[in-house]
Amino acid sequence: MVRGTAVLGTVVRRMVVVVGCVVVRDDAEVRDAAFGLLLVPLHAATPKSEMEMTRRPHDAIRAGYMYRHALLEWPLDTLRLVKAFRRLLVVLGVAGLVGAIAKLRGKGGVPPTSGGWRELEGPDFR
Amino acid sequence: MTTALVVGLGAVGTRAARQLIDTPAVDRLLLADRDDTQLAEVAEALGPDATAIDFAPGDPIPSDVDVIATALPGGVDHTVVSAAIAAGVPVASSDDEHDAIEQLRALSPNARGADVTIAVGCGLAPGLADVLASHAATMFEKVDEIRVARTGWGGPACVDTVRHERRVLVHTWHDGSWREEHPHGDNLVWFPEPIGGRDCRTVTGSTALLVDAFGAVPRLSLQVGEPPKRARFRRRFGDEGEWGAARVDVWGRRDGTLDCVVYGVVERTAVAAGTVLAVTAARLGGALEPRLNQPGVHGLASLVTPVPFLAELAQRGVRAASFEGVAVA
């Protein structure tokens, strides 16, 4: 239960950082502000061994404490994540634009889906 | 005047006999069936111009017959057609089973040599649907795809054929060549009301007849719906016959744009098939104009001119409809 809550908390914090950086503004000030929120509940953590220094934040949380050094790697990871997310947004946007142009300028190809049946009569047989 | 022989007086054959006897230029109708009671009842019901004869597949064709209409279970009419070719008599067959159609198509060189015209697949689909596809294809500069779908059945033999076709491997016409596939599920096809949406599955069936007529079209397919299992019992208790429907989607290019024409027809399956069989037989025998004379074995899309054929069917109560609508995204 404690472990699950800790992992969930980590995920939520990462999301806060990513969304904060992307939606508001991707500069150092915003990143620090968002990142500061993450440090608040963790500042009392103390490293116990060299091996534990290499652990990821959720490993440290699982072990019962948090090592500050692990958190300092977050901005770099987050920056990569933000760049990838931005690229994804650009790709989706371009794809949507191309699709919209193709649909608007395309010639036919959409079957009739709304209408009714008309019996063939004299003029159709000429 | 014309003498016609109807072989097989099931659901389809009986309706075909009625349509033939109502054709003014047919002055004599010979009837043959393995069930003597059924034969006598139908002959009596059709009046003095109808005569029951003792004829079975494999027997030589009676000498005074001008045309034959067969409505027999799949594969049985092969011997009748062979005898008719030997006698120089044209035949209209309502067979719709793939193997049976292939057997009949194999007789094409014999028919051409004997200068005899054989029409196969004279029913709702194949048959009327093929003619509708031919009619729709004339509206396009280039046809890309033809899809034919049918639901409904004429009688127990037709039900068996449909079930068999839905089970076996499928041969479809893709990009100008045959492709073998396993049956891959049902698609919802919308037929004219009151039939509405029905699940249909792609089958081989009479696709070869479409290929004969539209060999240049890249994609041709035939779908059939599944008849409910209680059909036989319902018919035994006096149902007048099951409603059936056919739908034809033709995709192509006209005026530089991709477009689609959708035709459909709703009728009691046996009535529609019987009427198509009778009109084709009457045309082959010269009882209706224009007379069909194109030696060989052909499907209706290759054999008939759509407009007069559809007009004749409409006069007899089998009316096609066109779907007119707009594309909704």
Side-chain angles (χ1 to χ4, degrees), chain A residues 103 107-121 124-126, chain B residues 135 192 251 258 262-264 307 310 319-328:
Chain A
K103 183 171 177 57
K107 296 179 176 179
V110 181
T113 52
S114 175
W117 294 90
R118 179 184 63 80
E119 205 168 80
L120 294 179
E121 291 173 337
D124 301 299
F125 296 140
R126 292 186 192 126
Chain B
H135 187 259
W251 286 85
L258 184 63
V262 181
Y263 282 151
V307 170
L310 293 173
R319 296 174 182 276
S322 170
F323 187 81
E324 295 184 346
V326 294
V328 177

Side-chain angles (χ1 to χ4, degrees), chain B residues 26-76:
Chain B
V26 175
D27 63 335
R28 187 159 170 253
L29 187 65
L30 305 179
L31 304 172
D33 192 86
R34 63 183 176 182
D35 184 341
D36 291 337
T37 308
Q38 169 82 351
L39 179 60
E41 286 178 0
V42 174
E44 185 183 352
L46 292 180
D49 291 340
T51 307
I53 64 168
D54 185 16
F55 175 87
D59 292 349
I61 306 298
S63 58
D64 54 348
V65 171
D66 296 309
V67 64
I68 301 171
T70 66
L72 295 166
V76 178

